[in-house]
Amino acid sequence: MHGVYEKDLDLNLLRVFVVVAEAGSVTEAASRLYLTQPAVSAALRRLTSAVGAPLFVRAGRGLALTARGQRLFASARPHLQALVEAAVSPGTFDPKTSERTVRLGLSDVNETWLLPPLLRVLAEEAPRMRLIVIPVQFRTIAEALGSSAVDLAVTVADELPADTRRLSLYTGGFVCLYDPRHARLGKRLTMERYLEHEHVIVSYNADLRGIVEDMLGIQRRVRVSVPTFHSIGALVEGSALLATIPIVVARELTSLRPNLRTAPLPVPLGLGSAPMELLWRNTVEDDEAIRFIRGLVVRVAKEKTVHLAD
């Protein structure tokens, strides 16, 4: 491709050439191009010099293409037409036939509850579209968006580049997940009982600090720290371990593992201070395929979280 640029050819000259060839007259071409006749004649001279061969000859009161001009006209005209159409024609997107692949960043909190229903809706409304799911979290999302590693993402986020679009999906609280066959919490989970039990926590820093330690400064008896929420249900079931997890995750886990229960926390985490957000860059704002996926994410999120506080 660099060889094309090294020729230093003003591509606008080709546009003038094509219009003159179609009109057969410098005067008529100048009228169509909203240029003066001298400007059109000068453009033709520059193109002739660049090509190194005559492109027109006089034919009565007009102009006719030479053999070299005919070859150039046959090659240039369809390409110029395609460029014009690409520039002025809006893109068409049909979800029923689109084969686009969209890169969706998901924090592990959202993968379980969001991805299955999203795929079901996608199978019905856009059966040929595909998703590539990429793990993100609040520490990595800025880089993932900035490098275009993801087209859009669902996660909690702090500071992001100024050209990032943000849409809040929900703000959920936390509950204590436990197995009542092994963990004896009584009628109400007190702080004393909460701290007596051992805990499984999720830490993105590979340490023994979770959200309770970070937000409240309370140190629990941590038995195991894991990097994601994926194994929480399996670890809690059949053990006396407690897990402090988002309500939306707890609902999915208790539906899959009916032996598990949830209890209100004795610590004032309340609603999470940071909302779960749908994030994308300004550069893909007008991408119809990505806009379509954003709409599906919003729809699924509303359906899944409308009763979050129940």
Side-chain angles (χ1 to χ4, degrees), residues 103-129:
R103 300 173 71 85
L104 174 62
L106 288 181
S107 61
D108 60 302
V109 172
N110 299 303
E111 189 172 324
T112 301
W113 71 265
L114 177 60
L115 194 55
L118 180 61
L119 288 177
R120 288 192 290 270
V121 176
L122 202 63
E124 296 176 359
E125 302 187 17
R128 299 183 184 180
M129 290 189 71

PDB file of all heavy atoms in Angstrom, residues 103-129:
ATOM      1  N   ARG A 103     -16.917  -8.419  21.033  1.00  0.00           N
ATOM      2  CA  ARG A 103     -16.072  -8.758  22.183  1.00  0.00           C
ATOM      3  C   ARG A 103     -16.655  -8.095  23.431  1.00  0.00           C
ATOM      4  O   ARG A 103     -16.645  -6.872  23.564  1.00  0.00           O
ATOM      5  CB  ARG A 103     -14.642  -8.288  21.921  1.00  0.00           C
ATOM      6  CG  ARG A 103     -14.033  -8.935  20.678  1.00  0.00           C
ATOM      7  CD  ARG A 103     -12.681  -8.325  20.326  1.00  0.00           C
ATOM      8  NE  ARG A 103     -11.665  -8.697  21.281  1.00  0.00           N
ATOM      9  CZ  ARG A 103     -10.959  -9.828  21.213  1.00  0.00           C
ATOM     10  NH1 ARG A 103     -11.186 -10.691  20.229  1.00  0.00           N
ATOM     11  NH2 ARG A 103     -10.039 -10.105  22.097  1.00  0.00           N
ATOM     12  N   LEU A 104     -17.166  -8.927  24.322  1.00  0.00           N
ATOM     13  CA  LEU A 104     -17.881  -8.467  25.509  1.00  0.00           C
ATOM     14  C   LEU A 104     -17.049  -8.718  26.763  1.00  0.00           C
ATOM     15  O   LEU A 104     -16.726  -9.854  27.089  1.00  0.00           O
ATOM     16  CB  LEU A 104     -19.222  -9.192  25.619  1.00  0.00           C
ATOM     17  CG  LEU A 104     -20.062  -8.949  26.870  1.00  0.00           C
ATOM     18  CD1 LEU A 104     -20.454  -7.480  26.975  1.00  0.00           C
ATOM     19  CD2 LEU A 104     -21.299  -9.845  26.866  1.00  0.00           C
ATOM     20  N   GLY A 105     -16.698  -7.643  27.459  1.00  0.00           N
ATOM     21  CA  GLY A 105     -15.979  -7.781  28.713  1.00  0.00           C
ATOM     22  C   GLY A 105     -16.956  -7.970  29.862  1.00  0.00           C
ATOM     23  O   GLY A 105     -17.903  -7.209  30.005  1.00  0.00           O
ATOM     24  N   LEU A 106     -16.730  -8.989  30.679  1.00  0.00           N
ATOM     25  CA  LEU A 106     -17.609  -9.277  31.807  1.00  0.00           C
ATOM     26  C   LEU A 106     -16.788  -9.532  33.061  1.00  0.00           C
ATOM     27  O   LEU A 106     -15.818 -10.295  33.037  1.00  0.00           O
ATOM     28  CB  LEU A 106     -18.478 -10.510  31.542  1.00  0.00           C
ATOM     29  CG  LEU A 106     -19.617 -10.395  30.542  1.00  0.00           C
ATOM     30  CD1 LEU A 106     -20.358 -11.723  30.454  1.00  0.00           C
ATOM     31  CD2 LEU A 106     -20.584  -9.288  30.927  1.00  0.00           C
ATOM     32  N   SER A 107     -17.183  -8.888  34.144  1.00  0.00           N
ATOM     33  CA  SER A 107     -16.616  -9.277  35.433  1.00  0.00           C
ATOM     34  C   SER A 107     -17.251 -10.597  35.843  1.00  0.00           C
ATOM     35  O   SER A 107     -18.346 -10.938  35.397  1.00  0.00           O
ATOM     36  CB  SER A 107     -16.900  -8.204  36.486  1.00  0.00           C
ATOM     37  OG  SER A 107     -18.291  -8.041  36.668  1.00  0.00           O
ATOM     38  N   ASP A 108     -16.566 -11.354  36.671  1.00  0.00           N
ATOM     39  CA  ASP A 108     -17.070 -12.674  37.026  1.00  0.00           C
ATOM     40  C   ASP A 108     -18.396 -12.603  37.768  1.00  0.00           C
ATOM     41  O   ASP A 108     -19.187 -13.549  37.743  1.00  0.00           O
ATOM     42  CB  ASP A 108     -16.040 -13.431  37.862  1.00  0.00           C
ATOM     43  CG  ASP A 108     -15.703 -12.701  39.147  1.00  0.00           C
ATOM     44  OD1 ASP A 108     -15.252 -11.546  39.071  1.00  0.00           O
ATOM     45  OD2 ASP A 108     -15.893 -13.272  40.232  1.00  0.00           O
ATOM     46  N   VAL A 109     -18.691 -11.465  38.416  1.00  0.00           N
ATOM     47  CA  VAL A 109     -19.978 -11.300  39.090  1.00  0.00           C
ATOM     48  C   VAL A 109     -21.121 -11.433  38.096  1.00  0.00           C
ATOM     49  O   VAL A 109     -22.197 -11.955  38.408  1.00  0.00           O
ATOM     50  CB  VAL A 109     -20.049  -9.914  39.779  1.00  0.00           C
ATOM     51  CG1 VAL A 109     -21.442  -9.638  40.309  1.00  0.00           C
ATOM     52  CG2 VAL A 109     -19.025  -9.831  40.890  1.00  0.00           C
ATOM     53  N   ASN A 110     -20.890 -10.973  36.864  1.00  0.00           N
ATOM     54  CA  ASN A 110     -21.966 -10.892  35.889  1.00  0.00           C
ATOM     55  C   ASN A 110     -22.061 -12.081  34.939  1.00  0.00           C
ATOM     56  O   ASN A 110     -23.095 -12.274  34.303  1.00  0.00           O
ATOM     57  CB  ASN A 110     -21.793  -9.621  35.051  1.00  0.00           C
ATOM     58  CG  ASN A 110     -21.850  -8.369  35.899  1.00  0.00           C
ATOM     59  OD1 ASN A 110     -22.811  -8.131  36.598  1.00  0.00           O
ATOM     60  ND2 ASN A 110     -20.793  -7.570  35.849  1.00  0.00           N
ATOM     61  N   GLU A 111     -21.010 -12.850  34.858  1.00  0.00           N
ATOM     62  CA  GLU A 111     -21.000 -13.910  33.850  1.00  0.00           C
ATOM     63  C   GLU A 111     -22.114 -14.922  34.060  1.00  0.00           C
ATOM     64  O   GLU A 111     -22.772 -15.342  33.103  1.00  0.00           O
ATOM     65  CB  GLU A 111     -19.632 -14.600  33.856  1.00  0.00           C
ATOM     66  CG  GLU A 111     -19.441 -15.566  32.704  1.00  0.00           C
ATOM     67  CD  GLU A 111     -18.016 -16.085  32.621  1.00  0.00           C
ATOM     68  OE1 GLU A 111     -17.089 -15.308  32.920  1.00  0.00           O
ATOM     69  OE2 GLU A 111     -17.840 -17.257  32.266  1.00  0.00           O
ATOM     70  N   THR A 112     -22.355 -15.310  35.313  1.00  0.00           N
ATOM     71  CA  THR A 112     -23.335 -16.368  35.573  1.00  0.00           C
ATOM     72  C   THR A 112     -24.766 -15.929  35.311  1.00  0.00           C
ATOM     73  O   THR A 112     -25.544 -16.647  34.676  1.00  0.00           O
ATOM     74  CB  THR A 112     -23.201 -16.864  37.024  1.00  0.00           C
ATOM     75  OG1 THR A 112     -21.874 -17.354  37.228  1.00  0.00           O
ATOM     76  CG2 THR A 112     -24.203 -17.972  37.306  1.00  0.00           C
ATOM     77  N   TRP A 113     -25.138 -14.742  35.776  1.00  0.00           N
ATOM     78  CA  TRP A 113     -26.535 -14.332  35.651  1.00  0.00           C
ATOM     79  C   TRP A 113     -26.840 -13.659  34.324  1.00  0.00           C
ATOM     80  O   TRP A 113     -27.980 -13.709  33.837  1.00  0.00           O
ATOM     81  CB  TRP A 113     -26.926 -13.403  36.795  1.00  0.00           C
ATOM     82  CG  TRP A 113     -26.315 -12.031  36.741  1.00  0.00           C
ATOM     83  CD1 TRP A 113     -25.183 -11.627  37.373  1.00  0.00           C
ATOM     84  CD2 TRP A 113     -26.810 -10.898  36.042  1.00  0.00           C
ATOM     85  NE1 TRP A 113     -24.928 -10.312  37.096  1.00  0.00           N
ATOM     86  CE2 TRP A 113     -25.916  -9.840  36.281  1.00  0.00           C
ATOM     87  CE3 TRP A 113     -27.914 -10.661  35.228  1.00  0.00           C
ATOM     88  CZ2 TRP A 113     -26.082  -8.558  35.736  1.00  0.00           C
ATOM     89  CZ3 TRP A 113     -28.095  -9.393  34.688  1.00  0.00           C
ATOM     90  CH2 TRP A 113     -27.190  -8.364  34.939  1.00  0.00           C
ATOM     91  N   LEU A 114     -25.836 -13.040  33.690  1.00  0.00           N
ATOM     92  CA  LEU A 114     -26.090 -12.276  32.466  1.00  0.00           C
ATOM     93  C   LEU A 114     -25.902 -13.091  31.198  1.00  0.00           C
ATOM     94  O   LEU A 114     -26.710 -13.006  30.267  1.00  0.00           O
ATOM     95  CB  LEU A 114     -25.177 -11.047  32.430  1.00  0.00           C
ATOM     96  CG  LEU A 114     -25.257 -10.169  31.168  1.00  0.00           C
ATOM     97  CD1 LEU A 114     -26.665  -9.615  30.968  1.00  0.00           C
ATOM     98  CD2 LEU A 114     -24.249  -9.033  31.246  1.00  0.00           C
ATOM     99  N   LEU A 115     -24.837 -13.872  31.148  1.00  0.00           N
ATOM    100  CA  LEU A 115     -24.487 -14.526  29.892  1.00  0.00           C
ATOM    101  C   LEU A 115     -25.509 -15.561  29.410  1.00  0.00           C
ATOM    102  O   LEU A 115     -25.869 -15.544  28.219  1.00  0.00           O
ATOM    103  CB  LEU A 115     -23.095 -15.161  30.019  1.00  0.00           C
ATOM    104  CG  LEU A 115     -22.435 -15.587  28.710  1.00  0.00           C
ATOM    105  CD1 LEU A 115     -22.365 -14.437  27.733  1.00  0.00           C
ATOM    106  CD2 LEU A 115     -21.040 -16.149  28.985  1.00  0.00           C
ATOM    107  N   PRO A 116     -26.011 -16.480  30.258  1.00  0.00           N
ATOM    108  CA  PRO A 116     -26.980 -17.465  29.744  1.00  0.00           C
ATOM    109  C   PRO A 116     -28.233 -16.843  29.122  1.00  0.00           C
ATOM    110  O   PRO A 116     -28.589 -17.189  27.988  1.00  0.00           O
ATOM    111  CB  PRO A 116     -27.300 -18.317  30.979  1.00  0.00           C
ATOM    112  CG  PRO A 116     -26.078 -18.198  31.825  1.00  0.00           C
ATOM    113  CD  PRO A 116     -25.610 -16.791  31.647  1.00  0.00           C
ATOM    114  N   PRO A 117     -28.938 -15.919  29.815  1.00  0.00           N
ATOM    115  CA  PRO A 117     -30.112 -15.335  29.166  1.00  0.00           C
ATOM    116  C   PRO A 117     -29.756 -14.476  27.961  1.00  0.00           C
ATOM    117  O   PRO A 117     -30.536 -14.395  26.999  1.00  0.00           O
ATOM    118  CB  PRO A 117     -30.756 -14.493  30.270  1.00  0.00           C
ATOM    119  CG  PRO A 117     -29.676 -14.239  31.269  1.00  0.00           C
ATOM    120  CD  PRO A 117     -28.791 -15.439  31.212  1.00  0.00           C
ATOM    121  N   LEU A 118     -28.600 -13.843  27.977  1.00  0.00           N
ATOM    122  CA  LEU A 118     -28.175 -13.044  26.825  1.00  0.00           C
ATOM    123  C   LEU A 118     -27.993 -13.930  25.602  1.00  0.00           C
ATOM    124  O   LEU A 118     -28.408 -13.577  24.484  1.00  0.00           O
ATOM    125  CB  LEU A 118     -26.869 -12.313  27.147  1.00  0.00           C
ATOM    126  CG  LEU A 118     -26.284 -11.436  26.037  1.00  0.00           C
ATOM    127  CD1 LEU A 118     -27.247 -10.327  25.653  1.00  0.00           C
ATOM    128  CD2 LEU A 118     -24.939 -10.864  26.467  1.00  0.00           C
ATOM    129  N   LEU A 119     -27.394 -15.087  25.783  1.00  0.00           N
ATOM    130  CA  LEU A 119     -27.202 -16.013  24.663  1.00  0.00           C
ATOM    131  C   LEU A 119     -28.529 -16.561  24.152  1.00  0.00           C
ATOM    132  O   LEU A 119     -28.689 -16.789  22.945  1.00  0.00           O
ATOM    133  CB  LEU A 119     -26.286 -17.156  25.084  1.00  0.00           C
ATOM    134  CG  LEU A 119     -24.809 -16.798  25.276  1.00  0.00           C
ATOM    135  CD1 LEU A 119     -24.026 -18.010  25.755  1.00  0.00           C
ATOM    136  CD2 LEU A 119     -24.215 -16.252  23.992  1.00  0.00           C
ATOM    137  N   ARG A 120     -29.483 -16.772  25.050  1.00  0.00           N
ATOM    138  CA  ARG A 120     -30.789 -17.265  24.609  1.00  0.00           C
ATOM    139  C   ARG A 120     -31.489 -16.225  23.741  1.00  0.00           C
ATOM    140  O   ARG A 120     -32.066 -16.562  22.695  1.00  0.00           O
ATOM    141  CB  ARG A 120     -31.653 -17.635  25.824  1.00  0.00           C
ATOM    142  CG  ARG A 120     -31.207 -18.909  26.531  1.00  0.00           C
ATOM    143  CD  ARG A 120     -32.241 -19.395  27.521  1.00  0.00           C
ATOM    144  NE  ARG A 120     -32.340 -18.522  28.678  1.00  0.00           N
ATOM    145  CZ  ARG A 120     -31.621 -18.683  29.784  1.00  0.00           C
ATOM    146  NH1 ARG A 120     -30.745 -19.663  29.873  1.00  0.00           N
ATOM    147  NH2 ARG A 120     -31.774 -17.860  30.814  1.00  0.00           N
ATOM    148  N   VAL A 121     -31.450 -14.969  24.157  1.00  0.00           N
ATOM    149  CA  VAL A 121     -32.061 -13.908  23.355  1.00  0.00           C
ATOM    150  C   VAL A 121     -31.322 -13.753  22.030  1.00  0.00           C
ATOM    151  O   VAL A 121     -31.935 -13.557  20.976  1.00  0.00           O
ATOM    152  CB  VAL A 121     -32.058 -12.570  24.130  1.00  0.00           C
ATOM    153  CG1 VAL A 121     -32.595 -11.443  23.252  1.00  0.00           C
ATOM    154  CG2 VAL A 121     -32.896 -12.692  25.387  1.00  0.00           C
ATOM    155  N   LEU A 122     -30.013 -13.847  22.070  1.00  0.00           N
ATOM    156  CA  LEU A 122     -29.215 -13.720  20.857  1.00  0.00           C
ATOM    157  C   LEU A 122     -29.541 -14.831  19.865  1.00  0.00           C
ATOM    158  O   LEU A 122     -29.610 -14.595  18.654  1.00  0.00           O
ATOM    159  CB  LEU A 122     -27.732 -13.763  21.219  1.00  0.00           C
ATOM    160  CG  LEU A 122     -26.743 -13.151  20.223  1.00  0.00           C
ATOM    161  CD1 LEU A 122     -26.997 -11.667  20.075  1.00  0.00           C
ATOM    162  CD2 LEU A 122     -25.311 -13.401  20.667  1.00  0.00           C
ATOM    163  N   ALA A 123     -29.761 -16.037  20.359  1.00  0.00           N
ATOM    164  CA  ALA A 123     -30.098 -17.152  19.479  1.00  0.00           C
ATOM    165  C   ALA A 123     -31.419 -16.926  18.750  1.00  0.00           C
ATOM    166  O   ALA A 123     -31.595 -17.353  17.606  1.00  0.00           O
ATOM    167  CB  ALA A 123     -30.164 -18.454  20.285  1.00  0.00           C
ATOM    168  N   GLU A 124     -32.339 -16.220  19.399  1.00  0.00           N
ATOM    169  CA  GLU A 124     -33.629 -15.945  18.788  1.00  0.00           C
ATOM    170  C   GLU A 124     -33.583 -14.765  17.822  1.00  0.00           C
ATOM    171  O   GLU A 124     -34.190 -14.804  16.751  1.00  0.00           O
ATOM    172  CB  GLU A 124     -34.675 -15.657  19.873  1.00  0.00           C
ATOM    173  CG  GLU A 124     -34.965 -16.833  20.784  1.00  0.00           C
ATOM    174  CD  GLU A 124     -35.933 -16.466  21.888  1.00  0.00           C
ATOM    175  OE1 GLU A 124     -36.351 -15.291  21.935  1.00  0.00           O
ATOM    176  OE2 GLU A 124     -36.268 -17.348  22.709  1.00  0.00           O
ATOM    177  N   GLU A 125     -32.881 -13.724  18.189  1.00  0.00           N
ATOM    178  CA  GLU A 125     -32.943 -12.482  17.430  1.00  0.00           C
ATOM    179  C   GLU A 125     -31.755 -12.249  16.504  1.00  0.00           C
ATOM    180  O   GLU A 125     -31.870 -11.483  15.543  1.00  0.00           O
ATOM    181  CB  GLU A 125     -33.083 -11.294  18.394  1.00  0.00           C
ATOM    182  CG  GLU A 125     -34.316 -11.407  19.279  1.00  0.00           C
ATOM    183  CD  GLU A 125     -34.535 -10.160  20.111  1.00  0.00           C
ATOM    184  OE1 GLU A 125     -33.944  -9.103  19.783  1.00  0.00           O
ATOM    185  OE2 GLU A 125     -35.293 -10.240  21.094  1.00  0.00           O
ATOM    186  N   ALA A 126     -30.625 -12.866  16.788  1.00  0.00           N
ATOM    187  CA  ALA A 126     -29.432 -12.706  15.943  1.00  0.00           C
ATOM    188  C   ALA A 126     -28.668 -14.025  15.925  1.00  0.00           C
ATOM    189  O   ALA A 126     -27.580 -14.138  16.503  1.00  0.00           O
ATOM    190  CB  ALA A 126     -28.557 -11.571  16.456  1.00  0.00           C
ATOM    191  N   PRO A 127     -29.217 -15.043  15.281  1.00  0.00           N
ATOM    192  CA  PRO A 127     -28.669 -16.403  15.400  1.00  0.00           C
ATOM    193  C   PRO A 127     -27.262 -16.581  14.846  1.00  0.00           C
ATOM    194  O   PRO A 127     -26.593 -17.554  15.182  1.00  0.00           O
ATOM    195  CB  PRO A 127     -29.686 -17.246  14.619  1.00  0.00           C
ATOM    196  CG  PRO A 127     -30.342 -16.285  13.679  1.00  0.00           C
ATOM    197  CD  PRO A 127     -30.404 -14.981  14.413  1.00  0.00           C
ATOM    198  N   ARG A 128     -26.792 -15.654  13.992  1.00  0.00           N
ATOM    199  CA  ARG A 128     -25.454 -15.805  13.412  1.00  0.00           C
ATOM    200  C   ARG A 128     -24.398 -14.957  14.108  1.00  0.00           C
ATOM    201  O   ARG A 128     -23.209 -15.107  13.833  1.00  0.00           O
ATOM    202  CB  ARG A 128     -25.485 -15.438  11.922  1.00  0.00           C
ATOM    203  CG  ARG A 128     -26.414 -16.323  11.090  1.00  0.00           C
ATOM    204  CD  ARG A 128     -26.341 -15.940   9.636  1.00  0.00           C
ATOM    205  NE  ARG A 128     -27.278 -16.702   8.828  1.00  0.00           N
ATOM    206  CZ  ARG A 128     -27.417 -16.564   7.507  1.00  0.00           C
ATOM    207  NH1 ARG A 128     -26.670 -15.671   6.865  1.00  0.00           N
ATOM    208  NH2 ARG A 128     -28.291 -17.280   6.847  1.00  0.00           N
ATOM    209  N   MET A 129     -24.820 -14.085  14.992  1.00  0.00           N
ATOM    210  CA  MET A 129     -23.852 -13.269  15.715  1.00  0.00           C
ATOM    211  C   MET A 129     -23.174 -14.100  16.800  1.00  0.00           C
ATOM    212  O   MET A 129     -23.758 -15.032  17.340  1.00  0.00           O
ATOM    213  CB  MET A 129     -24.526 -12.044  16.327  1.00  0.00           C
ATOM    214  CG  MET A 129     -24.977 -11.024  15.311  1.00  0.00           C
ATOM    215  SD  MET A 129     -25.534  -9.476  16.088  1.00  0.00           S
ATOM    216  CE  MET A 129     -23.970  -8.800  16.676  1.00  0.00           C
TER     217      MET A 129
END
